Structure formats: C-alpha cells, structure tokens
Amino acid sequence: MTGPSPASRHHYLVRAVAAHGLAGSTLDLPTSPCDDERFGSLLRDISDQRMTGLLWTAIADGALPATTAQAEQAEWRHVEALAGSLVLERLLLHTVQLLDDAAVPYRVLKGTAHGHLDYPDVGMRTYGDIDLLVPGAHFDTAVEVLLEQGHLRRHPQPRPGFDRRFSKGTSFRTDDGLEIDLHRTLTMGPLGIRLDLESLWERSETFWVAGRPLHALAREERFFHACYHAVLGNERPRLTPLRDLAQIALTGTLDLAQLHTVVRASRGEAAVARAVRHAWSELEIADVLAVSAWADSYRANAKQNAELAVYGPRSSYANKSVAAIRALPTFHERASFVYALSFPKGEYLDQRHRSRVRRLTRGLTQATRSRWRSS
Amino acid sequence: MNGDRSSAVRYGRDPAMTWRDTGRHVLVAPVDRLVEVMVLEGGGAVIWRLLDEPDTATGIAGRLAELEGAPDVAEVEACLALLTTQGVLRADEPEAPS
C-alpha cells in the first residue's frame, strides 16, 4: 500500500497552515519539524498566498514544530510581508485623505479591512495592494484624484463613462510600484453587473490606523465580498479568501437575516453557497453553523450554474463580458456596453488590449449569432 | 532643577505611526513621512510594547525590571533617546511651573 503522494501531503500542510487558529478545523499540523526541502516549498506557497502571518503564528504558538533556522526564515519572510503592508497602509491613509478632500465616499476592501476587523491580530493578514470601493457616480472623480498624484492607470477605459457605468474598476501603479485597485463593484461579469451596489453603501464599519478612522464594508457585506472573491476571482479558489470568510463566520456573529438580505438583493446565493462549501471543505471545518448548513442545502438551478461557469477555469474576459450583457437591465445599457467594447477609443487599443478586444469582438459576434439563431 | 525635569520626561509612541508586532520584532512606519519601515528588536521592541501609555524613563526601567530583571538604566535612557531621535517615540517635557 502506498500513502498519500508528496504533492497531496504538501497541499494538506498548506491547508492546515491556512486553517491555523480556526476553531472547528480538523486539519492537523505535523508533530515534528519537516525537512528543509519540504519547509522551503511550504514557505514559498504560503508566501505566494500571503499567509505568512498564519505560518508564523502557527510556529510561534508551538502548533507547528520548526527548527531554529526554519523559524527564523518564517519570521523574516513575515517581517518582509508586514513591512509591505505598512507601506501600503501609509499609501491608503494618504489616498483616503485625498478622496475625503474631493468628497468621494469610499470603503476599504479585502486584506486591509479583514486584517483590522476580522483577525485577532492585524498582523495575521498581510496584503499586496490596497482595494477601495467607490460609488459609480464618483468613480471618474476618484480616477482624476489618483491621476493627479502621478499614479499610472494600468488600463484605460474603452470609452468615456464606461468605468462608472459598467466596469469592475481599474488599477493604478504608483512611482514606488505599489498598486491601488479602485473598485466600482465587487466582481466583473453578470454577478458584478447585477450586484445591488446601493445596499452595500447602507452600512459600514470603522477601524483606526494611526489615529485616523477608516471605513470598511459592514461585517455581512465583507463576508459576502470574501465569498465572491473566493469563487469568482480565480480559476481555483485561493485559500486566503476562504480563510477570510471562515474567519468571519467562525469568530464573529454573522447576522444571517442581514446576510440573506444582501445576498438576495444581488441574486448571489449560488456563488455564496459555493464559496462557503469550498471553505468548509478546503479547511476541513467540522463545525456546522447556520450559514454552512444553508450552503450545504442550497441547490443552484441550471441558469445559476451556467452563470458560475462563466467564472470557471476555461472562462475568459470575453466570456464574462458577453455574459454581462445579458445581465444588463435595459436595451440601452446593453447597446452602450457592446458599443464601448466593440469600438473602443484609441488609447484602449494598446498592444496588450488588441488581442483581448479581438477575442471579445469574436465573443460578441458569437453571442449575437446565437441570439439570431434562437430567435 | 535640570535633572528632575529630564527624569520627568514622558515617552510615548508617536501616534502618527502604524506598526505590527511579530512577538520578536516590532515594525513601525510613520504615516506622515516617506521613510523606510523601521524594525525594532531586543530592547527597542520591548520598550515599544511597554508604551501602551506614556511613561518616564524611570517608570519604564521599573517595568522592565519586573519583566526581565533590573536593566541598566543608562542603556534604557540611551535606547529611549535613540527611538526619540528616529521619530518612533515622542518625548513630552513636563510643563514648566507657572
């Protein structure tokens, strides 16, 4: 008989680190230090997934045995990640001040907000960029504010007004190579178009950095976003957003009625249920909570499954855009969306975008043909 | 007297500082200046942790003594001076009597 393969043992270990400190996970950390080669692989994967805080906490708590050299490597890797987070936090404070001055409302999203509000120690959650949600009506102003700072917009919008009406958001790079992601909505494609953005702005939660209050989404909305990020952002759900959502669910009190209101308003039940099931399965959480019981019993219909497939491993920007057209509520909006992507402004058509636009145009053509055939 | 006044200086964390603690190292970064993140270890990290509330050098030395045996007060004062010079700590002079 053979035991589990090295790859599967490695993945188990990465998952066990990802679950460290979560009451309810049945994943076990090893009882003796692993060899240096295996530890090197672990450190690499953990760093890639921005989980050095969990690895270092596991070692410092004595839950993950490590040699002195391994412990030093893990702590130093974490120090580097934390230094990055602090530099980003400084940029965040500066950026938020500029948005405040320009009367642009904002919500801090993802790692920064989770670290400060959801983890027992902010250092357990590091991050590699800053993410801000701004309302569509203020999106163009926010873009101007960031451009005035000399930040480089990474991708131009296809046509004026596209961002504030349709796009997920846009990214900026600072002179120092730091990244600011400005979001209008929480995901692209049909689920992003259908998201009830107004409800996201109704409430907020505040955290403090260097004596300054910063506004994040409220707890249930953060959970909702972590779910979307987990299953709609990457081909294979990354462990960090799965941990984020499990962290919120297991260590705080989720108001299920509020959560259902938020999810229902955006018709995001299938995505949220899938994310919760993924988190419970990947992190091997034995505890049954109301939200996990709901996710287990939720059955997506064929239409929902087709929508989720748009975010699947073989999907593309074009697939998501074509699917987004169907989710737009009016014919006028559908026409504007298609026009902007089919006839973009010159600056959008740089080398990087040409192929993307070609693919999208092909995608749009196919969508149009199939509609004609079915009509 | 000068000696009395310097011993009454209260040291505290600069509030315009964002920071993280790994348990071994403390990382601090001022939010109002573009300087590199500073990494404190040893005595510097311990002193940072002790300064939830501002305290005098004598008070800090007393609390250090409870934690890890009587410290060299001159060393504590030198460390406080260094951290203050680097902008990590703030030193508030006692108000002069009117």
Side-chain angles (χ1 to χ4, degrees):
Chain A
M1 252 179 56
T2 55
S5 71
S8 128
R9 282 193 305 138
H10 173 71
H11 185 55
Y12 182 96
L13 181 54
V14 174
R15 290 192 297 131
V17 170
H20 174 66
L22 270 185
S25 172
T26 58
L27 290 165
D28 290 323
L29 289 163
T31 52
S32 59
C34 37
D35 62 56
D36 286 346
E37 191 184 338
R38 193 170 169 216
F39 188 81
S41 303
L42 175 68
L43 194 54
R44 204 166 37 248
D45 273 10
I46 290 291
S47 302
D48 283 350
Q49 299 224 31
R50 303 195 189 290
M51 297 194 303
T52 55
L54 296 170
L55 176 65
W56 171 241
T57 306
I59 293 172
D61 289 350
L64 177 63
T67 64
T68 306
Q70 290 170 351
E72 276 176 12
Q73 280 178 52
E75 200 237 359
W76 199 249
R77 191 65 68 87
H78 185 43
V79 164
E80 289 171 341
L82 288 175
S85 296
L86 289 182
V87 170
L88 287 164
E89 222 160 72
R90 181 161 57 198
L91 176 65
L92 173 67
L93 287 172
H94 181 65
T95 306
V96 158
Q97 184 61 54
L98 295 169
L99 293 177
D100 273 348
D101 293 346
V104 174
Y106 72 88
R107 296 286 184 267
V108 180
L109 300 175
K110 293 163 86 170
T112 321
H114 290 310
H116 281 277
L117 291 167
D118 302 317
Y119 284 78
D121 182 304
V122 63
M124 288 173 77
R125 178 67 162 89
T126 58
Y127 35 91
D129 57 11
I130 61 177
D131 295 272
L132 291 165
L133 179 71
V134 298
H138 295 266
F139 200 87
D140 291 342
T141 308
V143 168
E144 277 172 35
V145 164
L146 296 181
L147 290 176
E148 278 168 14
Q149 290 301 300
H151 304 330
L152 182 71
R153 184 179 170 146
R154 297 185 68 195
H155 311 295
Q157 57 181 339
R159 294 197 72 83
F162 185 86
D163 278 348
R164 77 179 126 78
R165 296 177 67 190
F166 303 121
S167 82
K168 178 192 172 193
T170 192
S171 295
F172 295 83
R173 193 171 284 275
T174 70
D175 279 348
D176 305 331
L178 305 177
E179 190 165 310
I180 302 171
D181 287 347
L182 204 59
H183 300 250
R184 184 192 67 87
T185 181
L186 303 183
T187 187
M188 64 179 301
L191 286 165
I193 292 282
R194 220 174 40 222
L195 211 115
D196 181 15
L197 289 167
E198 276 182 27
S199 72
L200 290 182
W201 288 95
E202 283 170 6
R203 314 179 315 140
S204 69
E205 203 167 329
T206 302
F207 62 95
W208 295 76
V209 175
R212 193 198 195 291
L214 294 168
H215 308 297
L217 296 174
R219 175 185 292 272
E220 287 70 25
E221 287 80 350
R222 283 200 307 282
F223 178 84
F224 174 56
H225 185 201
C227 290
Y228 269 30
H229 184 207
V231 294
L232 307 179
N234 292 85
E235 289 179 4
R236 181 191 168 93
R238 285 171 68 83
L239 287 166
T240 312
L242 295 177
R243 167 67 191 234
D244 288 339
L245 75 89
Q247 180 74 29
I248 298 173
L250 287 160
T251 60
T253 314
L254 265 183
D255 178 341
L256 273 190
Q258 174 64 24
L259 178 62
H260 281 151
T261 302
V262 171
V263 175
R264 231 187 344 254
S266 297
R267 283 181 279 155
E269 293 92 335
V272 170
R274 180 178 283 190
V276 172
R277 286 197 303 267
H278 264 300
W280 255 246
S281 152
E282 279 288 284
L283 303 173
E284 291 194 18
I285 299 167
D287 288 12
V288 177
L289 303 182
V291 72
S292 64
W294 167 80
D296 264 345
S297 63
Y298 188 82
R299 293 288 168 266
N301 60 35
K303 190 178 167 198
Q304 289 171 315
N305 282 327
E307 266 186 355
L308 287 179
V310 166
Y311 299 87
R314 282 181 297 280
S315 189
S316 63
Y317 177 84
N319 290 143
K320 292 189 189 86
S321 299
V322 169
I325 299 167
R326 298 188 190 113
L328 286 166
T330 66
F331 176 78
H332 177 68
E333 282 183 305
R334 275 175 233 148
S336 303
F337 183 91
V338 171
Y339 179 72
L341 288 176
S342 303
F343 303 101
K345 300 278 277 185
E347 63 263 33
Y348 185 72
L349 287 169
D350 60 15
Q351 203 53 44
R352 183 160 186 267
H353 279 83
R354 276 181 203 283
S355 58
R356 181 184 266 191
V357 169
R358 263 203 300 271
R359 282 201 305 275
L360 179 57
T361 310
R362 244 194 336 261
L364 293 173
T365 314
Q366 283 163 5
T368 315
R369 276 188 197 143
S370 65
R371 288 207 148 186
W372 280 351
R373 274 194 214 115
S374 62
S375 61
Chain B
M1 280 197 353
N2 255 354
D4 290 339
R5 283 181 59 77
S6 66
S7 65
V9 170
R10 294 179 76 78
Y11 295 91
R13 295 173 186 162
D14 186 326
M17 206 58 90
T18 179
W19 60 283
R20 301 284 191 274
D21 188 354
T22 71
R24 286 189 184 176
H25 294 93
V26 173
L27 293 88
V28 290
V31 295
D32 52 358
R33 284 170 288 143
L34 283 176
V35 295
E36 288 183 351
V37 173
M38 287 171 269
V39 182
L40 311 179
E41 58 183 349
V46 175
I47 287 175
W48 176 271
R49 290 186 196 111
L50 285 176
L51 287 177
D52 272 340
E53 295 294 332
D55 203 349
T56 61
T58 316
I60 294 164
R63 286 157 70 198
L64 273 172
E66 287 168 24
L67 281 178
E68 38 189 55
D72 180 334
V73 177
E75 255 184 46
V76 172
E77 285 174 344
C79 187
L80 288 168
L82 180 66
L83 293 174
T84 308
T85 311
Q86 291 187 338
V88 175
L89 298 183
R90 228 170 52 176
D92 289 328
E93 299 278 343
E95 282 184 22
S98 53

